Amino acid sequence: WFHPDSVQLDRRVPELYFTDLQLDGQSLEAGDSTGILSKSIAFTDAITLKYRQKVFTIHYSALEYLHPDKISYFFQLAHFDEGWRKADNTREATYTNLSPGDYLFQVKCRNRHGFESSPISLNITILPPWYRTWWAYSLWAALLIGGLITF
């Protein structure tokens, strides 16, 4: 026999990790020719993408072995998504054609009893093309002023 009020809900929320980063459908490895990852994505806090690297997928997973099918995932890309989005069973988020700028990708999970984890995050910087940088604008201005003076 037991007392029902002594039964505790499982408050343990599994730990989350980023498991893969794909660029145009190809998984990136630490130290590969793209130069995006210097170490595994699980231990990376920030990445920098060139303006042409517009299609990327981030995979994530929680370390839950008893009831992995009962874990709910939520993600958001700050400065792009309106709020938290509920993920499907694929445990991935794909983004395409983002404008140059700084973004913060976050993922959190909820266990089967509704207790949420703290979000994990990845800072993403998308660089502008060379002709939209401050030094290119300076060059355009210098050419314009030089042309006006010459005229």
Side-chain angles (χ1 to χ4, degrees):
W1 61 273
F2 67 94
H3 291 284
D5 57 339
S6 68
V7 175
Q8 299 279 330
L9 291 178
D10 182 11
R11 295 180 182 273
R12 184 187 58 81
V13 179
E15 199 166 340
L16 274 168
Y17 288 98
F18 293 118
T19 58
D20 192 18
L21 175 64
Q22 293 181 338
L23 189 61
D24 294 324
Q26 300 294 321
S27 291
L28 301 180
E29 300 293 331
D32 65 7
S33 63
T34 64
I36 294 172
L37 294 176
S38 59
K39 53 188 172 185
S40 169
I41 189 66
F43 304 106
T44 300
D45 296 329
I47 60 170
T48 301
L49 302 174
K50 296 177 181 148
Y51 73 97
R52 290 187 181 174
Q53 298 170 325
K54 294 182 176 183
V55 179
F56 62 91
T57 303
I58 302 171
H59 294 257
Y60 46 86
S61 186
L63 298 179
E64 173 62 64
Y65 302 108
L66 293 176
H67 301 285
D69 56 329
K70 305 245 173 153
I71 300 293
S72 300
Y73 296 92
F74 302 87
F75 66 89
Q76 76 170 352
L77 185 63
H79 308 295
F80 184 76
D81 291 330
E82 298 276 328
W84 290 96
R85 295 169 43 187
K86 187 171 184 341
D88 57 12
N89 293 336
T90 58
R91 295 185 309 267
E92 67 183 33
T94 300
Y95 290 95
T96 61
N97 296 325
L98 294 175
S99 299
D102 296 317
Y103 300 92
L104 179 66
F105 179 75
Q106 294 182 303
V107 180
K108 64 183 178 179
C109 69
R110 187 178 297 152
N111 74 3
R112 62 191 170 122
H113 297 296
F115 296 106
E116 280 190 5
S117 69
S118 298
I120 60 170
S121 59
L122 179 65
N123 290 302
I124 301 169
T125 300
I126 300 178
L127 300 174
W130 68 271
Y131 53 85
R132 289 185 55 200
T133 59
W134 68 269
W135 58 267
Y137 289 132
S138 300
L139 177 65
W140 304 140
L143 289 172
L144 179 66
I145 291 170
L148 289 174
I149 290 173
T150 303
F151 180 67

